Amino acid sequence: MDDLYREVIIERYKTPHYRGHLDPHDIFFEDDNPVCGDHIEITVQTDETDVVKAAAFDGHGCSISQASADLLIESIHGKTLDEVKSLTKDDVIELLGIDLGPVRLKCALLSLKVLKAGAYGLGTEEVSDALVE
Amino acid sequence: MDDLYREVIIERYKTPHYRGHLDPHDIFFEDDNPVCGDHIEITVQTDETDVVKAAAFDGHGCSISQASADLLIESIHGKTLDEVKSLTKDDVIELLGIDLGPVRLKCALLSLKVLKAGAYGLGTEEVSDALVE
Amino acid sequence: MKPKTPLNVDLLRADFPILTREIGSANKKLIYLDSTATAQKPTDVIDAMNDFYRLNNANIHRGVHTLAEESTAMYESGREQVAALINASPREVIFTRNTTESINLVAYSWARTNLQAGDLIILTEMEHHSNLVPWQMLEAERGVRLEFVPITNDYLFDMDAYRELLKQEPKLVSFTQMSNVLGTITPAKEIIRLAHEVGAITLVDAAQSVPHLPVDVRDLDADFMAFSAHKMVGPSGIGALYGKLDLLNAMPPFMGGGDMIKTVHLRSFATNEVPYKFEAGTPAIAEAIGFGAAAAYLQNIGMDAIAAHEQEMSEYVLEHLEEIPGITVIGPSAAHKGAVASFVMDGVHPHDVAQILDADGIAVRAGHHCAQPLHEKCGIQSTTRASFYLYNTKEEVDALVEGIYKVKKIFG
Amino acid sequence: MKPKTPLNVDLLRADFPILTREIGSANKKLIYLDSTATAQKPTDVIDAMNDFYRLNNANIHRGVHTLAEESTAMYESGREQVAALINASPREVIFTRNTTESINLVAYSWARTNLQAGDLIILTEMEHHSNLVPWQMLEAERGVRLEFVPITNDYLFDMDAYRELLKQEPKLVSFTQMSNVLGTITPAKEIIRLAHEVGAITLVDAAQSVPHLPVDVRDLDADFMAFSAHKMVGPSGIGALYGKLDLLNAMPPFMGGGDMIKTVHLRSFATNEVPYKFEAGTPAIAEAIGFGAAAAYLQNIGMDAIAAHEQEMSEYVLEHLEEIPGITVIGPSAAHKGAVASFVMDGVHPHDVAQILDADGIAVRAGHHCAQPLHEKCGIQSTTRASFYLYNTKEEVDALVEGIYKVKKIFG
Ligand SMILES: Cc1ncc(COP(=O)(O)O)c(C=O)c1O
Ligand SMILES: Cc1ncc(COP(=O)(O)O)c(C=O)c1O
């Protein structure tokens, strides 16, 4: 349990650094976790070279989903969109620093799924777990 | 096996006593066994007091289905229609004198089902295993 | 209603091998409070299927060899045992995959034959997605109308609103006999009686009631009833649809294929008798045998005794949960509910509650429990749900309460 | 195609507990020649399910406690193992009850969305009822047209007639890759290639091919493929539908309920991703785990090795059966068929053949094997069918031949 609830997760859950909604934005996407109704939306501003200038997330959910969103958003500042597109499951797991079963993993990966769907410019119907496998 | 293939069954199968089609007839019915496509039809002539004067069966199938039809038809000569309607599974089992599992039992009971459906004057859609349970 | 023999829970726990399971690196003893999602299985049920595969396995209905005769007899005796549990005739019991398929079967076969655009279907606000989505699909496809009986402020079936809705002359009333979130037990017999007065057909979602309460389809006069084996100590992969014989006889088949036919020609077919008409293809044979063993196991213990035990558990858990500051239990008072306690905790997401409890070996469920509209109605996203069955004890409730205090500390 | 390791049948027979079963009062050793109806199960498969119920059982996809995480992972790894056997991606594998439901799923979801009155579906004369009745139902409901590729005089798929029919531009070609009566193996890859040339979608009934032959959906370029676990050493109650991802994504759901949704409101829902979109309600969890174990078991032995063994059995049995006076085997030469021998015997009904063989412990099937139109085409009511799988031996064929001589004596 101590492993699962690393302090950073509880801390980021309680006081996230990147919660919000950017307007204007270059990228916007939102999606739900069908298991629990958790919701994440992300907004991203990029510069003319497609580098992330600013990013934020909003939504509701468990500590894993919200903390991973916050950590993920933090990690993409200064990255190019191509780098964002190539983020994987493992990157998120590393950010969180804990082991997760398949159900909790979905909580952790919701923000990555939303982020990549936005980066790729997908439609709502096109978003799939394949983005984060 | 000797039990199952009592001589009378093989004998009645090879040379049935009541195979045929009566015309005119007072009762006619036919049905199939969905398991194997076996088919039995029966024709019955009754007198004015509803007593079976003559009866016959036709069709094709295994020794159990054909022999039990032949023995059953034999047994109803001289019976009233009410007596025919009250025939049960056990009567057929007694006629055959052997033990049968649920699948073979269907072979044995096809003729009874057809006979009772005819006696009750049922429509094709109304015939059901409930008649022989 | 006092049962003749109160449950000897300590004794019957020995029937469930999984209850000795230890969880996590700290080897915590499993405290399984998730039977509403799926129940654990007694040795009787597990062994019935195991033995079948080791000794009897064959395809059914079509073989005359010994194994086929044995398998056919075992499969049909599974059906008889399930029918006996709900006081139905075996002919009226169709094996499906689960409650969900049972309801879809009615939606596809009965409703698409009997309902027209504009016809009204009455549901309730507390339905599981399985008794909601099939009707939404029908609404989209055929233009039937859906109306929902609300829940009252104390989480009960709103009988007055129902009577009002009945004036619109629904063709179908489909409702849960026990909510899997609130635990609310609905007055099924009265609901059915009133529906019949206006000529409506009734479908009872009995996924939660058949496992936990004495249920008698004749006494209820239900037209259709759907339930799953896995929620009543039986195997996964099988459920049942009860239907009145006249209704079933008049319905067209749902799926086509082997076993559901009497004769087939290249360009036509004739259907087999009920229940086979609705069991296309090789059925879940081992599962039917396990389902029968489960029904026999429960009947042997006695549904009255099980219900009484759960009533006691329900009172105990509500009393103790409601004492914890920051915990709100969603649902009616213990007198009106099954042994299901869904709750929210200030400032902590149900996933986190469940995860921290899990570290102590306590298995509860977190989410919307496939009843998202009900959660919306209650103004919440999701809940943590602890649910209880014949094998649960008061000590396990105490452990749950202790675990919740731990959660509070971590997120405090 | 020589397999790397020929089967060690004696060794692998020990994996199948039922093979030591004794039959009847004379305690005859079981000789199981009915695998085409359903296969026997190895300990690996039986134990996988047994262990699951004793150690891990929970409902999946929705729980965060340890058992739920374990069950979810095991269920999904079952899917991966099944996908691996046919070289599909797990996402393209939908769990159903059986081949029959898989075909009905395509008929309800894909065909009812994509086909109009007058559209042509091509089937063959040797289809199992499961690949016939769903399309007859669609014909009755929607007015699609059905045409049938005949079988040639030597019981093969009539390629010339097929090419002719293709000129009518069918929308769907649905055909068996191996007949469960004739044993005929159809040239699936060529059938699919030609169908695609005229823009038709293809559905392969692989109920008999996946258990007995190496099958690669990518190589075949199949659009849909249906098969059952129980015919390939797996459990009852589960089957699979393979579909190309684009097709599956574009299809509406079949059944509505839990798990197949992303979000549900009282008056609307959004569907979940493939494959979950098609798996409504609690799935056959233990069965998926058993199915995975079965796929792994077969893959481990090697489908090439299994096919080679069956080819050998097939040659042996045909040679010996055809020598018996009064026996006619219905089907092509051994080079074109699986290890299935359906035969008629002058003057003796198949039920009687099967029953007398059973007295010697020999399990064969008698009837129309859910292929009545094929029997009509061949001018016969029913056949006796002996079928062979990886665990069968030549000694068992010898016993069959001996048994048939006994039948002749009794009915002589
Ligand atoms: C060729 C073929 N198709 C379909 C089926 C139907 O399979 P199931 O009964 O498992 O649905 C069978 C099995 O009998 C078969 O042999
Ligand atoms: C009230 C209710 N209805 C329907 C269902 C669906 O049951 P299944 O998933 O077995 O189809 C459930 C189970 O979650 C339930 O609790």
Side-chain angles (χ1 to χ4, degrees):
Chain A
M1 188 180 63
D2 291 355
D3 287 356
L4 186 53
Y5 285 90
R6 289 175 60 222
E7 226 157 88
V8 59
I9 292 174
I10 306 256
E11 185 232 302
R12 290 290 184 128
Y13 172 61
K14 289 192 183 165
T15 47
H17 303 184
Y18 297 94
R19 185 179 284 279
H21 179 92
L22 302 178
D23 250 330
H25 51 251
D26 302 290
I27 290 172
F28 168 82
F29 205 86
E30 59 184 339
D31 201 17
D32 301 304
N33 180 345
V35 173
C36 50
D38 284 3
H39 183 85
I40 293 277
E41 68 147 76
I42 56 107
T43 40
V44 180
Q45 294 173 346
T46 51
D47 67 15
E48 56 294 336
T49 62
D50 275 352
V51 166
V52 174
K53 278 194 310 194
F57 81 98
D58 210 346
H60 52 79
C62 61
S63 63
I64 304 283
S65 76
Q66 304 297 300
S68 67
D70 202 51
L71 293 165
L72 178 68
I73 291 294
E74 178 171 80
S75 79
I76 64 167
H77 281 79
K79 286 217 162 88
T80 65
L81 275 194
D82 280 344
E83 286 170 324
V84 168
K85 286 179 193 166
S86 66
L87 287 170
T88 67
K89 173 164 101 169
D90 292 335
D91 295 312
V92 174
I93 293 173
E94 208 184 299
L95 285 171
L96 284 171
I98 52 175
D99 271 350
L100 291 170
V103 179
R104 287 323 296 278
L105 202 55
K106 285 209 190 264
C107 305
L109 296 178
L110 179 59
S111 51
L112 180 63
K113 190 164 145 185
V114 169
L115 177 64
K116 288 182 75 172
Y120 277 107
L122 299 186
T124 321
E125 293 301 311
E126 291 168 294
V127 55
S128 134
D129 284 344
L131 285 169
V132 294
E133 268 163 17
Chain B
M1 191 180 62
D2 290 354
D3 287 355
L4 187 52
Y5 285 90
R6 288 175 62 222
E7 226 159 87
V8 58
I9 294 174
I10 306 255
E11 186 233 301
R12 291 289 184 129
Y13 173 61
K14 289 192 183 164
T15 46
H17 302 184
Y18 297 93
R19 184 180 285 279
H21 179 92
L22 301 180
D23 251 330
H25 51 252
D26 301 290
I27 291 173
F28 168 82
F29 206 86
E30 59 182 341
D31 201 17
D32 301 303
N33 180 345
V35 173
C36 50
D38 284 2
H39 183 83
I40 293 278
E41 67 147 75
I42 55 106
T43 40
V44 180
Q45 294 172 347
T46 52
D47 67 15
E48 56 293 338
T49 62
D50 274 354
V51 166
V52 175
K53 278 194 308 192
F57 81 99
D58 209 348
H60 52 80
C62 61
S63 62
I64 303 283
S65 76
Q66 304 299 300
S68 67
D70 203 50
L71 292 165
L72 178 68
I73 292 294
E74 179 170 77
S75 78
I76 64 168
H77 280 79
K79 285 217 164 89
T80 66
L81 276 194
D82 280 345
E83 285 171 326
V84 168
K85 285 180 193 165
S86 66
L87 287 170
T88 67
K89 173 164 100 170
D90 292 334
D91 295 312
V92 174
I93 293 175
E94 208 184 299
L95 285 171
L96 283 170
I98 53 174
D99 272 350
L100 291 169
V103 179
R104 283 327 291 281
L105 202 54
K106 282 204 194 271
C107 305
L109 296 178
L110 179 58
S111 51
L112 180 63
K113 189 165 145 184
V114 168
L115 177 64
K116 288 183 75 173
Y120 277 106
L122 301 185
T124 322
E125 292 301 310
E126 291 168 292
V127 56
S128 133
D129 283 344
L131 285 169
V132 294
E133 268 163 16
Chain C
M1 183 172 51
K2 265 256 161 296
K4 279 177 227 110
T5 23
L7 293 195
N8 186 334
V9 177
D10 285 343
L11 204 68
L12 70 79
R13 283 178 68 87
D15 296 339
F16 293 81
I18 207 172
L19 297 181
T20 59
R21 167 79 195 263
E22 292 175 348
I23 299 293
S25 47
N27 293 325
K28 299 283 186 172
K29 213 181 135 203
L30 171 65
I31 295 178
Y32 187 74
L33 307 182
D34 195 21
S35 297
T36 291
T38 204
Q40 295 305 341
K41 323 303 177 199
T43 313
D44 276 9
V45 169
I46 302 173
D47 286 356
M49 297 187 287
N50 202 347
D51 291 348
F52 169 72
Y53 282 130
R54 288 172 176 271
L55 291 172
N56 316 99
N57 173 62
N59 212 326
I60 59 165
H61 290 152
R62 291 171 294 178
V64 306
H65 58 76
T66 300
L67 299 184
E69 288 277 13
E70 289 171 355
S71 296
T72 304
M74 291 166 81
Y75 177 78
E76 291 303 336
S77 108
R79 195 194 307 274
E80 282 161 24
Q81 288 166 311
V82 173
L85 184 69
I86 58 167
N87 192 28
S89 135
R91 205 178 292 280
E92 298 168 321
V93 172
I94 297 160
F95 284 133
T96 60
R97 181 170 35 249
N98 49 28
T99 304
T100 304
E101 188 188 2
S102 298
I103 296 172
N104 278 273
L105 197 166
V106 176
Y108 272 102
S109 171
W110 180 84
R112 277 170 174 73
T113 310
N114 290 284
L115 301 189
Q116 325 275 328
D119 281 350
L120 177 63
I121 297 174
I122 293 186
L123 308 169
T124 85
E125 282 180 352
M126 59 184 144
E127 295 313 312
H128 187 278
H129 294 165
S130 292
N131 193 26
L132 207 48
V133 179
W135 310 117
Q136 291 180 347
M137 287 166 64
L138 191 65
E139 182 183 34
E141 190 187 314
R142 292 289 170 92
V144 297
R145 289 187 306 127
L146 307 183
E147 290 296 345
F148 300 88
V149 178
I151 48 171
T152 64
N153 287 336
D154 34 7
Y155 301 102
L156 299 178
F157 180 89
D158 188 334
M159 197 46 95
D160 294 336
Y162 176 53
R163 285 178 188 273
E164 269 309 304
L165 280 172
L166 284 178
K167 294 184 182 152
Q168 298 183 38
E169 301 200 343
K171 291 286 194 290
L172 174 70
V173 177
S174 186
F175 67 98
T176 185
Q177 192 173 7
M178 188 197 291
S179 158
N180 65 319
V181 178
L182 307 173
T184 305
I185 297 170
T186 58
K189 192 170 173 177
E190 179 71 359
I191 294 171
I192 292 168
R193 194 182 62 77
L194 293 171
H196 286 168
E197 275 184 5
V198 301
I201 290 294
T202 54
L203 191 168
V204 182
D205 175 352
Q208 297 301 339
S209 54
V210 168
H212 298 283
L213 304 173
V215 171
D216 179 327
V217 289
R218 301 253 178 272
D219 178 56
L220 289 175
D221 199 21
D223 298 299
F224 295 110
M225 178 176 281
F227 54 104
S228 300
H230 72 94
K231 297 198 194 274
M232 45 182 282
V233 311
S236 58
I238 192 161
L241 175 67
Y242 160 83
K244 283 185 182 163
L245 204 56
D246 287 352
L247 285 167
L248 295 178
N249 278 333
M251 282 156 61
F254 174 27
M255 300 198 214
D259 254 29
M260 53 68 74
I261 52 85
K262 178 168 264 175
T263 52
V264 180
H265 306 287
L266 263 192
R267 298 196 172 273
S268 68
F269 71 96
T271 52
N272 202 342
E273 291 176 23
V274 164
Y276 311 112
K277 178 165 77 174
F278 295 106
E279 294 181 357
T282 303
I285 303 171
E287 292 74 12
I289 294 164
F291 198 175
Y297 180 85
L298 292 179
Q299 226 178 354
N300 196 32
I301 289 183
M303 291 309 303
D304 283 349
I306 292 170
H309 171 70
E310 293 190 27
Q311 181 61 35
E312 218 181 297
M313 292 297 294
S314 191
E315 283 163 23
Y316 190 80
V317 70
L318 285 199
E319 192 182 308
H320 286 77
L321 278 186
E322 281 169 347
E323 275 175 1
I324 308 175
I327 292 281
T328 313
V329 178
I330 313 291
S333 63
H336 298 97
K337 72 186 280 180
V340 177
S342 297
F343 58 92
V344 291
M345 187 165 170
D346 291 351
V348 191
H349 189 281
H351 267 180
D352 293 317
V353 178
Q355 186 92 50
I356 293 170
L357 290 174
D358 182 58
D360 282 335
I362 304 169
V364 298
R365 195 140 288 237
H368 51 55
H369 318 299
C370 295
Q372 228 178 350
L374 175 63
H375 281 78
E376 284 179 350
K377 160 87 178 195
C378 299
I380 46 183
Q381 286 299 327
S382 54
T383 50
T384 306
R385 181 182 71 191
S387 58
F388 303 84
Y389 207 5
L390 68 168
Y391 37 64
N392 290 117
T393 64
K394 291 189 181 164
E395 291 72 48
E396 292 180 319
V397 176
D398 298 340
L400 170 67
V401 170
E402 209 179 301
I404 291 174
Y405 277 106
K406 251 192 217 172
V407 177
K408 286 173 73 87
K409 216 172 113 200
I410 291 173
F411 276 85
Chain D
M1 184 171 51
K2 263 257 161 298
K4 279 177 226 113
T5 23
L7 293 196
N8 186 333
V9 176
D10 285 342
L11 205 66
L12 70 81
R13 282 178 69 88
D15 297 339
F16 293 81
I18 207 172
L19 297 182
T20 59
R21 168 78 196 264
E22 292 174 348
I23 299 293
S25 48
N27 293 325
K28 299 284 185 172
K29 214 182 134 203
L30 172 66
I31 295 179
Y32 187 74
L33 307 183
D34 194 20
S35 297
T36 290
T38 203
Q40 296 304 341
K41 325 301 178 200
T43 312
D44 276 9
V45 169
I46 301 172
D47 286 356
M49 296 188 287
N50 201 348
D51 291 349
F52 169 73
Y53 282 130
R54 289 171 175 272
L55 292 171
N56 316 100
N57 173 63
N59 212 327
I60 59 166
H61 289 152
R62 292 172 292 179
V64 306
H65 57 76
T66 300
L67 299 184
E69 288 278 13
E70 289 171 356
S71 296
T72 304
M74 291 166 82
Y75 177 79
E76 291 303 335
S77 109
R79 195 194 307 275
E80 283 161 24
Q81 288 165 312
V82 173
L85 184 71
I86 59 166
N87 193 27
S89 134
R91 206 177 293 280
E92 298 167 323
V93 172
I94 296 160
F95 284 132
T96 60
R97 182 172 31 252
N98 48 28
T99 304
T100 304
E101 188 188 1
S102 298
I103 295 171
N104 278 274
L105 197 165
V106 176
Y108 272 102
S109 171
W110 180 84
R112 277 169 173 72
T113 310
N114 290 284
L115 301 188
Q116 324 275 328
D119 280 350
L120 177 64
I121 298 174
I122 294 185
L123 308 169
T124 85
E125 282 180 350
M126 59 183 143
E127 295 313 313
H128 187 278
H129 295 166
S130 291
N131 193 27
L132 206 48
V133 179
W135 310 116
Q136 291 179 347
M137 287 168 64
L138 192 66
E139 182 184 34
E141 189 187 316
R142 293 289 171 92
V144 298
R145 289 188 306 127
L146 307 183
E147 291 295 346
F148 300 89
V149 178
I151 49 171
T152 64
N153 287 337
D154 36 6
Y155 301 101
L156 299 177
F157 180 91
D158 187 335
M159 196 46 96
D160 293 335
Y162 176 53
R163 285 179 188 274
E164 269 311 302
L165 280 173
L166 284 177
K167 293 185 182 150
Q168 298 183 37
E169 301 200 342
K171 291 284 193 295
L172 174 68
V173 177
S174 186
F175 67 99
T176 186
Q177 193 173 8
M178 189 197 292
S179 159
N180 64 318
V181 178
L182 307 173
T184 305
I185 296 169
T186 58
K189 191 170 174 177
E190 180 71 358
I191 294 170
I192 292 168
R193 195 183 62 77
L194 293 171
H196 286 167
E197 275 183 5
V198 299
I201 291 293
T202 54
L203 190 168
V204 182
D205 175 351
Q208 296 302 339
S209 54
V210 168
H212 298 283
L213 304 172
V215 171
D216 180 327
V217 290
R218 301 251 178 275
D219 179 57
L220 290 175
D221 199 21
D223 298 298
F224 294 110
M225 177 174 283
F227 52 105
S228 300
H230 72 93
K231 296 197 194 277
M232 45 182 283
V233 311
S236 58
I238 193 162
L241 174 68
Y242 160 83
K244 283 185 182 164
L245 203 55
D246 287 351
L247 285 168
L248 295 178
N249 278 333
M251 281 154 62
F254 174 28
M255 299 198 215
D259 254 30
M260 53 68 72
I261 53 85
K262 180 169 262 175
T263 52
V264 180
H265 306 288
L266 265 192
R267 299 197 170 272
S268 68
F269 71 95
T271 52
N272 202 344
E273 292 175 19
V274 164
Y276 311 112
K277 178 165 77 172
F278 296 107
E279 293 180 358
T282 304
I285 304 172
E287 292 74 11
I289 293 164
F291 198 175
Y297 180 86
L298 293 179
Q299 225 178 357
N300 196 32
I301 288 182
M303 290 310 302
D304 283 348
I306 292 170
H309 170 69
E310 293 190 26
Q311 181 61 36
E312 219 180 295
M313 291 298 293
S314 191
E315 284 163 22
Y316 189 79
V317 70
L318 285 198
E319 193 181 308
H320 286 78
L321 278 187
E322 281 168 349
E323 275 176 2
I324 307 176
I327 293 280
T328 313
V329 179
I330 314 289
S333 63
H336 298 97
K337 72 186 279 179
V340 177
S342 296
F343 58 90
V344 289
M345 186 165 171
D346 292 350
V348 191
H349 188 280
H351 267 180
D352 293 317
V353 178
Q355 186 91 50
I356 294 171
L357 290 175
D358 182 58
D360 281 335
I362 304 170
V364 298
R365 196 140 288 235
H368 52 54
H369 318 298
C370 294
Q372 227 178 349
L374 174 63
H375 281 78
E376 284 180 350
K377 159 87 178 192
C378 298
I380 45 183
Q381 286 299 328
S382 55
T383 49
T384 306
R385 181 182 70 191
S387 58
F388 303 85
Y389 206 5
L390 68 168
Y391 37 64
N392 291 116
T393 65
K394 290 188 183 164
E395 291 72 47
E396 293 179 319
V397 175
D398 297 340
L400 170 67
V401 170
E402 209 178 304
I404 291 174
Y405 277 106
K406 251 192 220 174
V407 177
K408 285 173 73 86
K409 217 172 112 201
I410 291 174
F411 277 83

